[in-house]
Amino acid sequence: MTQTSLFDRLSALSEPIRVRILRVLSNEELAVGEIARVLQTSQPTVSRHLKLLDGGGWVLRRKVGTATYYRLLPGELEPELARLWELVSAEVEEEAADPASLYAEDLRRLDGILSQRTGDSEELFRRLGGRWDSVRQELFGDGFTLWLLSALLPEGQVVADLGCGTGALLPVLAASAGLVIGLDREQAMLDVAAERTVNLPNVSLRRGLLDALPIESGQVHLAICGLVLHHIRELSPVISEVARVLTPEGRWVILDMVEHDREEYRSTMGHQHLGFSEDQLGKLLREAGLEIRSWRLLPPDPAALGPGLFVGVVGRVGKASQ
Ligand SMILES: C[S@@+](CC[C@H](N)C(=O)[O-])C[C@H]1O[C@@H](n2cnc3c(N)ncnc32)[C@H](O)[C@@H]1O
C-alpha cells in the first residue's frame, strides 16, 4: 500500500459514495458490477471511485480470471488509514441504524446480491479459485478422501493389514470389509490400534510375525503391507506366508520406499533395505508364484522429508484378481 498525506487521506473520504463503497467492501469482497448494483449506480462511476481508493491504499484487489474483486480489511490498512476508518465508520454505523438511511439500504441490497451468489455454485467456485483447497480443508478436514476411496472396495471381503502399526487404516477398511485382520509384532502398536477399533466388531487384532502369520491358508482376499517390508531382512519367508494366506484370486498391496541412498536409516531406524526396485521385488515374488500387476510411484508430497514411495499390486501368476 502507498503512503498518503493527511489531505489525500481525507479527500478519499470526502465524497459520500466513496464511504458507501468502503463500507460495503468492509462487509464483503465484491466485483465492480456487484458494487454498482449495491449502490444503484453505473459501473464506470464505481470504477472511477475505486481507482482513487485503490491508489490511496484503501482497498485490496484480487484477480480471479478476468474478474477483479475488491475488499476493505481494516486490519490490513496503514495505521493512519485504519484510525481514520474507525472514526468514520463509527459515525456511519450510527446513521445506518435508521432503516430509511442510504447506508441501511446498501446492506439490504448487499444481502440480496450475496444470497443470489450462494445459490449460484458456478459463481462460487469461480470466486474461490485457488482458495478451494483451504476452504475444503477448513470445512471438512482432509481425512474424508480415504473414506470416499474405501467405498470402492468390494463388500464383505477378508482384509489383512500386515504390520498394521497403530491401525490408522483399520477403521477405513472395516467400513466395507467382512473381516479386517490387523497384525503386528509389537504389543504397544496393537494397544493403540485396539483403542481405535474398540467399537468395530469386524476387526480382529493379532500379535504375530509376518513370516509365521496366525491366519488360516487361503482366507485373505486383500493383504496390505504399508511401510513394513523394508524392516524385514529375509523377505522370502514373508512372501511365502502371504502367498499361503491369500485366496487364489487374492491381491497384496505393498506400499514402501523406492530405492534410496540414506544409509543412516539402517542405524537410526533399523531399516534392513534402502527401499526397493520393481525388479528386485518382482524376482522374489515370482519364486513364490506371485507377480507384480501394477507398480506406481506416488507423487511426492512437497512437505515430506523422506524418500519417494511406490505402491505395487501383487497377485498369483496366471490368476485374475478379484
Ligand atoms: C513403519 S511401521 C508402519 C505401520 C503402518 N503399516 C503404517 O503404515 O503406519 C512398521 C510396522 O511393522 C511392524 N513390523 C515390523 N516387522 C515386523 C514383522 N516381522 N512382523 C510383524 N510386524 C512387523 C512394526 O512393529 C511396525 O508397527
Side-chain angles (χ1 to χ4, degrees):
M1 282 188 197
T2 47
Q3 285 287 331
T4 48
S5 77
L6 171 66
F7 293 105
D8 288 337
R9 290 197 287 271
L10 290 173
S11 83
L13 301 183
S14 65
E15 291 220 23
I17 189 170
R18 289 205 281 271
V19 174
R20 285 171 65 204
I21 291 176
L22 289 177
R23 178 162 173 267
V24 293
L25 293 181
S26 72
N27 278 274
E28 186 60 44
E29 185 185 49
L30 295 169
V32 175
E34 292 172 322
I35 304 171
R37 278 160 65 207
V38 172
L39 269 56
Q40 293 186 310
T41 185
S42 71
Q43 289 200 28
T45 306
V46 170
S47 296
R48 186 161 46 81
H49 290 295
L50 267 180
K51 198 169 168 209
L52 206 135
L53 292 170
D54 191 19
W58 284 96
V59 290
L60 295 170
R61 222 174 337 129
R62 192 169 69 88
K63 263 193 120 33
V64 180
T66 53
T68 305
Y69 290 88
Y70 296 87
R71 183 83 163 110
L72 166 64
L73 292 175
E76 308 247 329
L77 288 173
E78 283 173 25
E80 296 80 4
L81 295 187
R83 280 201 295 277
L84 198 53
W85 179 245
E86 199 181 330
L87 211 67
V88 171
S89 61
E91 288 273 324
V92 166
E93 293 314 324
E94 257 180 47
E95 281 191 44
D98 175 358
S101 69
L102 263 184
Y103 295 123
E105 265 186 42
D106 283 347
L107 288 202
R108 282 197 292 274
R109 277 192 298 272
L110 176 63
D111 276 349
I113 282 167
L114 293 181
S115 62
Q116 266 176 7
R117 234 195 215 177
T118 46
D120 175 353
S121 69
E122 277 182 31
E123 165 63 13
L124 174 72
F125 291 119
R126 202 160 40 233
R127 279 169 43 72
L128 283 176
R131 284 194 297 140
W132 168 240
D133 284 359
S134 60
V135 172
R136 182 178 191 271
Q137 154 87 34
E138 231 170 75
L139 291 177
F140 309 113
D142 49 17
F144 69 92
T145 320
L146 206 53
W147 292 88
L148 182 151
L149 292 175
S150 80
L152 301 175
L153 288 174
E155 294 281 321
Q157 293 198 335
V158 176
V159 180
D161 188 355
L162 306 174
C164 64
T166 54
L169 212 50
L170 301 177
V172 179
L173 297 170
S176 52
L179 170 67
V180 178
I181 299 168
L183 175 131
D184 207 279
R185 184 180 55 190
E186 302 302 329
Q187 190 56 45
M189 290 290 196
L190 290 172
D191 289 344
V192 181
E195 275 174 39
R196 263 206 168 107
T197 55
V198 68
N199 293 319
L200 299 173
N202 59 338
V203 174
S204 161
L205 295 177
R206 302 182 190 178
R207 188 163 180 207
L209 293 170
L210 268 90
D211 56 9
L213 292 172
I215 299 174
E216 274 173 47
S217 300
Q219 197 199 0
V220 174
H221 299 98
L222 172 64
I224 298 172
C225 280
L227 297 174
V228 180
L229 295 188
H230 61 268
H231 285 292
I232 300 173
R233 191 191 307 258
E234 276 295 317
L235 287 176
S236 294
V238 169
I239 293 173
S240 303
E241 269 298 83
V242 178
R244 176 183 68 77
V245 301
L246 281 182
T247 61
E249 289 83 20
R251 281 173 302 161
W252 181 13
V253 176
I254 300 172
L255 180 134
D256 220 299
M257 282 165 277
V258 294
E259 278 181 308
H260 61 87
D261 57 6
R262 305 189 192 191
E263 274 294 334
E264 68 275 16
Y265 284 8
R266 290 190 193 275
S267 53
T268 56
M269 291 188 276
H271 289 197
Q272 303 293 328
H273 302 268
L274 298 183
F276 299 101
S277 71
E278 182 176 359
D279 251 21
Q280 174 194 4
L281 270 188
K283 273 190 198 123
L284 290 170
L285 289 162
R286 268 195 299 281
E287 288 166 15
L290 300 176
E291 65 183 359
I292 295 174
R293 296 272 162 77
S294 74
W295 182 275
R296 272 183 227 139
L297 302 186
L298 302 191
D301 181 332
L305 303 176
L309 299 173
F310 69 85
V311 63
V313 180
V314 172
R316 260 182 229 289
V317 175
K319 289 272 183 191
S321 285
Q322 289 149 328

